[in-house]
Amino acid sequence: MAGKAFLILADGWQAEGVSVGAEGTVWGEVVFHTALTGYPEIFTDPSYWGQILVMTLPHIGNYGTAAEEWQHEKPMIRGLVARQVSGFFSRAGRAVGLPEYLRMHGIPAIAGIDTRALVRRVRQKGAQNALLTTTPPTQEMWEKLIQYPSMQGTELASQVTTARPYTVGEPSGLRIALLDFGVKKAILDQLVQRGAYVGVFPAYTAPEALQAFEPQGFLLSNGPGDPAAMPQAIATVSELVKWGRPILGICLGHQLLSLALGVPTYKLLFGHRGSNHPVKDLRTGRLYITSQNHGFAIDAAELERHPDLILSHINLNDHTVEGFVHRHLPLQGVQYHPEASPGPHDSHEVFDEFMAAVRLQAVLPSR
């Protein structure tokens, strides 16, 4: 028989449900995701480090989870909230049930609560810290919740980045140096599929070490936390910009590129997390349905005032910035996730555009 679990938000909202994961107590920022499928990819996305994730779909877990879907070797969410989690699953191949998977990795989860009411609360009051526990809440737990650091001002990339450099792809390919702030496996796959030889480097690698790889382009990956709390990474990106080689920033990487160019970021009320967010490419008028996962955005007014940057993509739900390009340098940032995983493949061409710029760089005379 399943035991009880409890969820308490920092503003006092609380719910009691059943435990469908590991036993224990966790604190983190509570956020929600609206995807209908793809929970194995979502739960293993390093961008969710430090967060308690609410799935808006009423029922998840019916197809278990398998290694080929994982974006990291282990789940990266702090805790899970769902209306119902299936204890049974059905699929071909090797897989494990979702409750078993969560228990294996020590992830507490609560089910049997009104997730619609919870999501409405988060939309109205904003993403906030929460407590998820499988034991009756205590005053000590509540006090820790009140004192728990806000996501704003918190650096987390150092907790999810690779410990040492490694490479993927064929050495004969175009050389891309990727700064790993919490990279998803799908981003590496997209680059390798396009003929890249990718050197994956820890988040705070010095520019000189990146230069030693002799890259023809740079990719700044996705990741968790507040980009403004990463001055060392911003300084590194500023140096990379001076070298004039193609740079693609994705999600957190997009924000770091923006900050390196002098355009500030800010925290969204509840963020964008889902696989059906409409984005418009202002250069072509084309619309994309995109996968998204971010709690920060770049300042649209400051971007449009920047003499060298062009707003290239907007979110059609709230008109926040979804992308920019540089007028003179081969620099591009996209807030959404062109690799998807999960989500539609509409925007895979972002990688085509980046690799085309890298190929052009490869044939130009060295500076």
Side-chain angles (χ1 to χ4, degrees):
M1 182 176 179
K4 292 183 178 181
F6 306 86
L7 179 70
I8 302 176
L9 272 57
D11 68 5
W13 189 95
Q14 51 189 287
E16 179 181 323
V18 296
S19 173
V20 289
E23 294 184 357
T25 302
V26 293
W27 294 260
E29 183 184 52
V30 66
V31 297
F32 64 88
H33 201 290
T34 61
L36 302 182
T37 61
Y39 61 83
E41 293 92 335
I42 294 166
F43 296 168
T44 53
D45 179 351
S47 297
Y48 284 108
W49 186 254
Q51 294 178 321
I52 297 171
L53 182 62
V54 184
M55 297 299 292
T56 62
L57 185 71
H59 180 90
I60 65 168
N62 60 313
Y63 60 92
T65 180
E68 60 266 24
E69 300 156 341
W70 302 343
Q71 298 303 302
H72 190 276
E73 62 186 11
K74 63 181 180 180
M76 304 302 283
I77 57 174
R78 186 67 53 82
L80 173 65
V81 182
R83 180 69 184 90
Q84 182 178 0
V85 174
S86 176
F88 302 93
F89 70 94
S90 178
R91 67 184 297 171
R94 299 180 62 183
V96 62
L98 183 55
E100 180 184 356
Y101 176 71
L102 295 170
R103 293 186 191 109
M104 286 169 50
H105 292 281
I107 308 295
I110 184 173
I113 73 168
D114 187 347
T115 50
R116 292 177 299 177
L118 174 56
V119 169
R120 282 197 298 269
R121 186 78 175 195
V122 174
R123 284 181 58 88
Q124 293 166 2
K125 303 292 185 178
Q128 58 186 282
N129 287 335
L131 157 69
L132 174 57
T133 182
T134 56
T135 61
T138 65
Q139 182 63 27
E140 184 180 358
M141 291 179 186
W142 170 255
E143 290 174 356
K144 182 172 179 179
L145 172 59
I146 297 304
Q147 298 169 5
Y148 200 80
S150 168
M151 188 63 72
Q152 189 163 9
T154 298
E155 187 279 333
L156 294 175
S158 59
Q159 299 180 30
V160 298
T161 188
T162 180
R164 57 187 61 84
Y166 65 93
T167 59
V168 293
E170 295 297 325
S172 59
L174 293 167
R175 301 173 76 88
I176 305 298
L178 183 148
L179 274 173
D180 174 16
F181 302 113
V183 68
K184 292 170 62 181
K185 177 179 176 293
I187 291 177
L188 302 178
D189 292 343
Q190 290 295 325
L191 293 172
V192 171
Q193 287 169 18
R194 288 162 175 78
Y197 179 55
V198 186
V200 183
F201 294 87
Y204 294 109
T205 301
E208 296 76 21
L210 298 173
Q211 181 78 293
F213 183 66
E214 298 182 346
Q216 291 146 322
F218 299 95
L219 193 143
L220 314 175
S221 86
N222 63 292
D226 183 350
M230 303 172 64
Q232 184 179 343
I234 296 167
T236 295
V237 175
S238 297
E239 286 299 310
L240 302 186
V241 168
K242 295 175 184 177
W243 296 347
R245 298 172 200 171
I247 299 177
L248 171 62
I250 295 176
C251 199
L252 178 66
H254 153 91
Q255 297 161 3
L256 292 170
L257 181 58
S258 169
L259 287 163
L261 294 167
V263 178
T265 57
Y266 66 97
K267 195 175 191 303
L268 295 165
L269 180 63
F270 52 82
H272 297 167
R273 297 174 182 88
S275 56
N276 62 347
H277 285 252
V279 167
K280 183 175 183 179
D281 186 334
L282 299 176
R283 302 168 298 177
T284 64
R286 183 176 175 182
L287 306 183
Y288 301 86
I289 303 301
T290 67
S291 179
Q292 302 205 5
N293 170 20
H294 56 272
F296 294 83
I298 72 173
D299 189 309
E302 291 297 325
L303 174 65
E304 294 194 272
R305 279 195 283 268
H306 196 291
D308 295 322
L309 299 181
I310 300 172
L311 174 65
S312 59
H313 297 76
I314 61 167
N315 187 300
L316 293 181
N317 287 335
D318 60 7
H319 294 90
T320 51
V321 175
E322 292 287 352
F324 67 88
V325 295
H326 198 281
R327 293 183 186 276
H328 312 294
L329 299 173
L331 310 178
Q332 180 179 11
V334 289
Q335 183 63 77
Y336 55 93
H337 282 262
E339 79 284 357
S341 293
H345 299 171
D346 295 25
S347 49
H348 278 181
E349 64 186 43
V350 168
F351 294 102
D352 297 329
E353 189 174 344
F354 172 60
M355 291 303 293
V358 173
R359 289 189 180 90
L360 178 60
Q361 174 71 33
V363 300
L364 292 176
S366 300
R367 295 191 176 187

